[in-house]
Amino acid sequence: MSPSPSNLQDRNPVAAPSHPRAMPAFLIISTALVAIGVLVLRGNSCGHDFDFHLLSWMEVARAWHAGLVYPHWVQDANYGAGEPRLIFYPPASWLLGGLLGTITGWHAAPVLFVLLALLAGGASMYQLAREWAPASSATFAACLYIASPYTMFVAYERTAYGELLAAAWLPLLVLFALRPRSSLAPLGLSIAALWLTNSPAAVVGSYLLALLAVAMWIAEGKPWPALRAAGGMALGLGLAAFYIVPAAFEQRWVQIDRAIIPGMRVQDSFLFAHTADAFHDQVLHTASWILIVELVAAVVAAYLAWKRKAGGRARMVLTAMLPLILLLQLPASGVLWKYAPHMKFLQFPWRWVMALSVAACVLSSMALTGMSSARWRQISAAGLIIALTIGGAFLFYQPCDDEDAVSPQVAAFHSGQGIEGTDEYTPLGADNAAVQQHLPLVRFFRAAQDDTADNTAVDNPEWRPGAAGSLPAGMDAKRIHGEHWMVRIVTSEPGFALLRLMDYPSWKVTVDGTPTPSRPTREDGLMAVPVRAGDHTIEVQWAATTDVIVGREVSAVALLVLAAVVALERKGRRRV
């Protein structure tokens, strides 16, 4: 579908031939460097998700060193028994983090990750704002996007690196959803990038795309924006299907609902809500104030943009977003959160501030369109950006405890002692609190349920040898890498080899080359392999299940479709 000629009037980038071409890039890079200045001076900020991401990155690097290109299993979780974290957490952030850590070391990797994410976010915001504003105004929007309170909150206090990186794709989604000319291919790529970076951001982006499409349909009086959005969504989901299909299908194999326990539910995090958890309320009130500040800024920017009649229909659509985002922060929107697919997995309504930040920055660029470039305005803009970046960094910086700093975490990782598991990635039917610490790689017992921990007094108690049911056996376990084990058992009587490995449907287990698909279930979820008397070799290897194969095939087809769409869009532009 091609837009009507009247739409071309909405695209109003003001030419600024006197503006140095290198200046936007220089200012965006400078803002990003100022934003990470506190990290350079004081070291990494050990925010809420810092441990989670650092471990994932180190696991990926270890898998690469072992020759495993695309890992699925986090070996150190559950005190060495592992978990299928990398099936469910999108790959872009842990691949980038693993690469940075491998090249630069683990102290520098988080700082460089934040820098790259901020640079990408600034560049994408510049492209979005430049569609409707001159270069100087678009540069201000890009720097403001980097320095926004929510960005600093995510980078420093939450250290939610996946969401921070996803913020680079959201402006592109908005750009290609609102742009008058054909942009199906880049829209699909933007959607795929969101899904491959951060699931909550992808859910926000998907619903945001639907809102933009409907609003543009109403504004245009023609359905082509909605058709483009639907096509872009289908293409994007297809491109990311190699991740989405297994992540969606295999949720039935884990306790995914433990991600939305009390304190992590939408109804616990409406604007300025109170719960019995003081830490939750502290974070919520910080996020609530950030939302209020950015919403007020967006409203003021929208007012000025409307006064100047800048941005055309894009201004109308972005302004319409503001009350909808506010509504989602209030208990009155509970029915939407309850019934809209996947919305409950956002956990926190304030995650919609990432979309609010996009709208606020673009509207700010529109508000500045037509203003004179007086020296005092430039100084004021620079002062605002510097104050936001430095102030936000110091305000949200989280000092590291002794055990949370990078060096102790790296040392613990190499020691093999393992860490606590992630509840929502625990295999179905297993109690990850029952996994004992410092287990040997393999034990041999008469019954599958022998040597099960009593975790009523404490979670993950220390393992003590000599439990009832233990059988004498010669055992030699070799973990080739996190997804391939070889175990030799020599025993005079039958029993069960208990591996320090969480059982999961993707494991292909053979005894002397014979598959053992049916295995008994233990309370702690560890793998119990039945073995007869004699000398036996057990091999455990990760295998691609049907859902993984289907996802790869869908992505392959989507790549072909993408190539065809790119060719058609290029042909259409040449005709114009």
Side-chain angles (χ1 to χ4, degrees), residues 421-442:
T422 311
D423 291 341
E424 58 265 34
Y425 304 145
T426 302
L428 203 63
D431 180 4
N432 59 343
V435 178
Q436 300 171 78
Q437 299 186 44
H438 300 109
L439 285 168
L441 288 179
V442 61

Side-chain angles (χ1 to χ4, degrees), residues 169-235:
W169 314 128
L170 205 57
L172 297 179
L173 180 146
V174 175
L175 170 62
F176 300 127
L178 297 181
R179 175 178 275 177
R181 64 178 181 271
S182 179
S183 52
L184 180 58
L187 178 59
L189 287 169
S190 302
I191 294 164
L194 271 175
W195 278 104
L196 294 175
T197 304
N198 183 256
S199 297
V203 172
V204 169
S206 298
Y207 279 102
L208 178 60
L209 177 60
L211 291 173
L212 295 175
V214 170
M216 287 296 288
W217 186 352
I218 294 172
E220 291 285 342
K222 296 179 181 180
W224 71 267
L227 295 175
R228 176 175 61 184
M233 179 63 70
L235 180 59

